[in-house]
Amino acid sequence: MVRLIQGVPARLAAVRERIRVAEDRLGRKPGSVALLAVSKKQEVAKIRAAFTAGQTAFGESYAQEAAEKMDALETLGVQWHFIGRIQGNKTRQIAERFDWVHSLCNLKHARRLSEQRPAHLPPLTACVQVNLDLEPGKAGLPPAQVADFITACAGLPRLKLAGLMTLPAPVEDEEARRRPFRALRLLRDRIATPALPLPVLSMGMSADLEAAIAEGATMVRVGTAVFGPREAG
């Protein structure tokens, strides 16, 4: 475990270099793609090592697991992103303790998050999850429902709608990898307005971040490539 922890800075640097090279090769502005380090099922010591190496934004999928890490790292000033499926009985915990939520796709949950967001905190930044391929059992809204959902959420005072998120099925072919990311960007371009520009495209992971950057990703979510293997369970 000590070796895995010590390896975090080098792996983090390698991922950042992949992002930098992709930005340069694809004509993207340097620094236009943010890295979200997915720390679910990872040791607190690894998160601390990544933070020490300059990574400040971390993604968690399970509210209770995240709460324990937040308590352990509360003095560091970590920015916490909730990226998992939202459960109705966890909305208060998400509203009170996270800075971002990437998996918004239920209006009841959106209303609860807004109502439960503490007044002393800034509005909870949110991305709407889109199920582009209409995969059964996968969270996310069908593309045809996204515009109406955003309209319904736009007036919630304690939510700040920032953009869209997707989690496409893994594929090997480069063009096939790019296709869903392109679809998310085009969907955003159709529904964005001057009042609600939706600048964030949260898409791309370890295996396909270059394809996502090619299609306009502004945030990539990378876990194992930064931290190494996850804990069992």
Side-chain angles (χ1 to χ4, degrees):
M1 178 56 69
V2 171
R3 184 178 301 171
L4 290 174
I5 294 169
Q6 291 175 340
V8 167
R11 286 193 294 269
L12 177 62
V15 172
R16 287 175 171 162
E17 179 64 8
R18 283 178 64 187
I19 294 171
R20 187 199 66 77
V21 169
E23 288 174 336
D24 182 63
R25 177 171 61 85
L26 296 162
R28 297 287 303 274
K29 181 180 178 181
S32 61
V33 181
L35 171 61
L36 178 63
V38 177
S39 50
K40 66 179 182 180
K41 299 293 184 182
Q42 298 288 357
E43 291 273 1
V44 167
K46 290 185 180 180
I47 302 173
R48 190 184 299 275
F51 185 89
T52 300
Q55 179 64 30
T56 58
F58 295 86
E60 293 284 335
S61 293
Y62 309 104
Q64 186 55 47
E65 176 195 336
E68 296 170 3
K69 296 174 182 178
M70 291 171 179
D71 290 342
L73 301 169
E74 63 180 346
T75 62
L76 294 187
V78 170
Q79 185 185 83
W80 295 103
H81 295 234
F82 187 81
I83 61 174
R85 188 185 291 262
I86 299 171
Q87 297 176 306
N89 63 348
K90 300 296 184 183
T91 56
R92 182 173 296 279
Q93 200 165 15
I94 295 169
E96 291 179 348
R97 306 211 63 179
F98 285 85
D99 302 289
W100 284 63
V101 57
H102 288 239
S103 46
L104 193 65
C105 58
N106 178 295
L107 186 56
K108 184 177 181 180
H109 292 164
R111 288 170 174 157
R112 283 185 179 179
L113 290 168
S114 179
E115 292 167 359
Q116 295 167 345
R117 184 68 169 172
H120 70 277
L121 295 177
L124 180 63
T125 303
C127 291
V128 176
Q129 184 171 356
V130 184
N131 184 350
L132 290 165
D133 301 320
L134 306 179
E135 293 182 59
K138 177 178 279 189
L141 289 169
Q145 296 179 18
V146 173
D148 287 344
F149 179 78
I150 286 176
T151 298
C153 291
L156 296 174
R158 305 297 293 149
L159 279 185
K160 177 185 176 183
L161 292 176
L164 306 180
M165 184 272 265
T166 197
L167 182 64
V171 292
E172 295 298 324
D173 176 72
E174 178 68 14
E175 174 55 30
R177 284 179 176 176
R178 290 182 61 161
R179 195 173 300 123
F181 301 137
R182 184 182 310 131
L184 193 75
R185 172 173 53 82
L186 293 174
L187 174 64
R188 188 277 309 277
D189 291 348
R190 287 197 302 272
I191 65 179
T193 66
L196 202 61
L198 304 172
V200 176
L201 291 175
S202 172
M203 58 189 194
M205 300 187 296
S206 295
D208 57 11
L209 66 86
E210 286 86 359
I213 292 171
E215 295 297 341
T218 63
M219 186 178 295
V220 293
R221 309 181 305 273
V222 180
T224 304
V226 170
F227 293 108
R230 293 191 181 111
E231 296 178 51

